[in-house]
Each structure stands twice: as C-alpha cells, then as structure tokens.
C-alpha cells in the first residue's frame, strides 16, 4: 500500500498532520532510521568530501546493491549483504597503494573496476532470483517503508560504533586529510587512517543505502557535506551544518512523501540539491561583493601613490 493511500492529505494543522503520520509504527521507525543514517552520513560525508574520495564513496554505495541482492538470493538478511559487501569492497580499495606519482590514477582504475564488476554481479543475482524484480527498485532507490524496530537498533548500533571511532581518529584524520605529506612527516599514520576511514565510509554507505537505495546514497553522503563546506571552512561548524542539513532533508522528505504519491528518494535528493544550489549561489554572491570591496579599497591608494 502506498503512503498516499494511508494519508488523508495536509490539514494545514501541523500538530494534527504529525499526529496522523506518527500513528503508524512504520513511520515512527522511518523517522528514527532516517535520523540515525543522516547523522552518520553527515559526519562521514564531511570527511569524504574533504579527502576528495567521492568516487570511492560512490563505488561503495553501489556495492550495496549486489550485496543485498546476493544476500536475498541465498536467503540471508539483506542488511548483512549491505554491510558485508561494502566493508569487503572498502578493504579492496584500501589495499591499493597510495604513494607515488601515479597513485591517484591507479586508485581510480581499481575503484572503477571493482564498481563495474560488482554491479554486474548484482544484476546476475537479480536474474538468478526468480520473482525478485519487484524489489529491485527498493534496492536501487530505497524505501522508508517496512523498517522494523530491530532494523533501527542495528542501524543505531553500527552508527554509534562508527561515530565513536570517528571521534577517536577525527583530529589526526583531519590533519592527514588536509596535508598528508606534513602529517606523515610528523609521525601521523596516514596510511592506517586512510584504511580506517574507508571502512567507516563502507559502513556509512551500507547504512544509508538501506534507506535511500544504492543509487541515491549521495543524497545524504555528499550533498549535505558539500553544502556545509561551501558555507564554512571551519571543521566543527562544517560538521554540525552537514549533520543539520542531512537531518532536515531526510525529515522533510519523509513528511512530504507521506502526503504525496511520489517516491521519498526523489524528495530527499531534490531538497538536498536545492539547498546546495542556494549555498553555491550565496557563496558566489558573497565572493563577488568582497572582490568589489577589495578593488574599491585598492584604487584610492593607487591614485594617491600616482
């Protein structure tokens, strides 16, 4: 049953609308799960954008699709498939040497190869599982429906572990992300931190993929973080802003989708994209004004000197 068939439409009474929506346990679980993945994606995504590892994050998010499809094929939990494949792929990407002049090209080549092969495996698993076609859309584009309390607890436990690790390694990881050569010279284990971060990224992609689907993971993993870094360069403020934007687009997407016939993933992605475009436009306007002010300050000084 679609959400719109359960909802009676906007009453223009926010309290009544929320009461009606939260009368359903699956919607309560959807808000809980959405909050958990939004917080984790906001934090991990901020570091991912800072480290310029969006391609690796994109690959890890797509790997969730063959993981869930393969798990369903052999009759085990789809969540186990998400986490198993994403973490295994993260270890493969971490094994690629990062040193040397051509390290970036080699890493991108391995990342693309892993992505293409595992996507092909995913479609093979779908083909082998008869009658599975109705679930493909949910794996690719996600669904907030049918999330149980047990699933929320699993998502919460994984998120707490990931955030705890991120809190421990956050400071050296920030140093290694902004200036890896200087960090290595000062004894920071840059390589080990890179492996740890890829595992965190794999876990985050597996979590978000269970809600947004493999193809829309970036809606929560990239866009809030990219928007935050457009607005501020300060790490603490950026992390808070990234988490806040991820929570806002997730909850607003849930509310809008509940009262409309269109998919939740569309609303979450569209809201996140809209905020990013506004942030970029605002940043460009501020930069333009500052540039004009600098020119106006310099010109009188030049006239006096001449």
């Amino acid at each position: 049953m679609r959400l719109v068939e359960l909802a009676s439409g906007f009453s223009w009474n926010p309290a009544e609308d929320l009461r009606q929506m939260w009368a359903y346990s699956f919607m309560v679980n959807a808000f809980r799960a959405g909050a958990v993945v939004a917080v984790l994606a906001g934090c991990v995504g901020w570091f991912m954008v800072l480290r310029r590892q969006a391609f690796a994050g994109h690959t890890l998010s797509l790997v969730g699709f063959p993981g869930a499809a393969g798990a369903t094929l052999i009759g085990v939990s789809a969540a186990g498939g998400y986490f198993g494949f994403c973490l295994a792929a993260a270890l493969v990407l971490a094994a690629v040497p990062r040193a040397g002049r051509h390290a970036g090209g080699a890493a991108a080549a391995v990342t693309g190869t892993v992505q293409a092969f595992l996507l092909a495996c995913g479609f093979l698993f779908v083909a082998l599982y008869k009658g599975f076609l109705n679930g493909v859309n949910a794996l690719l584009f996600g669904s907030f429906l049918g999330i149980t309390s047990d699933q929320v607890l699993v998502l919460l436990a994984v998120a707490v572990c990931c955030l705890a690790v991120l809190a421990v390694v956050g400071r050296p990881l920030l140093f290694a992300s902004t200036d890896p050569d200087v960090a290595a010279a000062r004894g920071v284990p840059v390589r080990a931190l890179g492996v740890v971060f890829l595992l965190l990224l794999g876990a985050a992609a597996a979590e978000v993929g269970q809600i947004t689907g493999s193809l829309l993971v970036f809606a929560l993993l990239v866009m809030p973080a990219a928007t935050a870094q457009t607005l501020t360069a300060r790490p603490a403020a950026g992390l808070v802003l990234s988490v806040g934007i991820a929570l806002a687009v997730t909850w607003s997407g849930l509310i809008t989708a509940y009262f409309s016939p269109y998919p939740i993933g569309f609303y979450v992605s569209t809201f996140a994209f809209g905020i990013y475009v506004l942030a970029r436009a605002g940043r460009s306007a501020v930069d333009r004004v500052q540039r004009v002010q600098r020119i106006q300050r310099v010109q009188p000084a030049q006239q006096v000197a001449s």
Side-chain angles (χ1 to χ4, degrees):
M1 183 178 292
R2 296 188 307 170
L3 283 176
V4 70
E5 294 170 338
L6 297 173
S8 59
F10 281 114
S11 67
W12 301 107
N13 181 345
E16 175 60 25
D17 289 337
L18 289 176
R19 188 203 62 76
Q20 176 198 338
M21 187 170 54
W22 287 338
Y24 298 101
S25 60
F26 70 85
M27 285 304 299
V28 175
N29 286 334
F31 270 83
R32 291 171 176 167
V36 170
V37 300
V39 172
L40 181 61
C43 293
V44 175
W46 187 87
F47 278 97
M48 184 192 71
V49 173
L50 179 69
R51 294 171 61 83
R52 300 179 182 178
Q53 288 188 301
F55 188 36
H58 179 61
T59 296
L60 292 175
S61 64
L62 293 180
V63 164
F65 168 62
T72 305
L73 177 64
I74 61 176
V76 300
S77 167
Y82 273 110
F83 285 114
F85 267 59
C86 288
L87 293 176
L91 287 174
V92 171
L93 299 184
V96 180
R98 303 285 172 180
R101 190 176 57 179
H102 303 294
V110 172
T111 303
T113 301
V114 170
Q115 180 186 119
F117 172 69
L118 289 178
L119 266 180
C121 291
F123 284 108
L124 174 64
F125 298 153
V126 170
L128 291 175
Y129 189 86
K130 307 301 181 185
F132 183 63
L133 290 178
N134 287 335
V136 173
N137 284 343
L139 293 180
L140 292 177
F141 299 103
S143 173
F144 285 84
L145 300 178
I147 299 174
T148 65
S149 298
D150 290 340
Q151 287 177 297
V152 176
L153 289 176
V154 171
L155 293 175
L156 179 61
V158 173
V160 168
C161 293
C162 290
L163 292 174
V165 173
L166 194 59
V168 172
V169 305
R171 192 177 182 84
L173 181 64
L174 178 62
F175 189 12
S177 302
T178 53
D179 198 335
D181 294 333
V182 174
R186 294 191 177 184
V188 176
V190 175
R191 174 71 174 166
L193 286 170
V195 175
V196 170
F197 179 73
L198 278 173
L199 289 173
L200 291 175
L201 185 56
E207 286 231 336
V208 178
Q210 295 177 56
I211 304 300
T212 64
S214 295
L215 295 182
L216 298 179
V217 167
F218 267 24
L220 290 181
L221 205 55
V222 171
M223 286 193 271
T227 303
Q229 294 190 17
T230 298
L231 295 176
T232 178
R234 291 183 296 176
L239 279 168
V240 172
L241 195 56
S242 178
V243 170
I245 294 171
L247 278 172
V249 299
T250 300
W251 286 346
S252 58
L254 270 171
I255 294 171
T256 308
Y258 179 79
F259 293 101
S260 78
Y262 303 112
I264 292 170
F266 165 74
Y267 289 115
V268 172
S269 302
T270 301
F271 293 157
F273 177 72
I275 294 173
Y276 176 73
V277 170
L278 289 175
R280 293 292 302 179
R283 183 75 261 173
S284 297
V286 170
D287 291 344
R288 192 177 301 113
V289 170
Q290 291 176 340
R291 190 164 51 249
V292 170
Q293 290 175 339
R294 282 197 299 272
I295 293 173
Q296 290 174 341
R297 283 196 299 269
V298 169
Q299 283 180 338
Q302 290 177 337
Q303 290 172 353
V304 171
S306 61

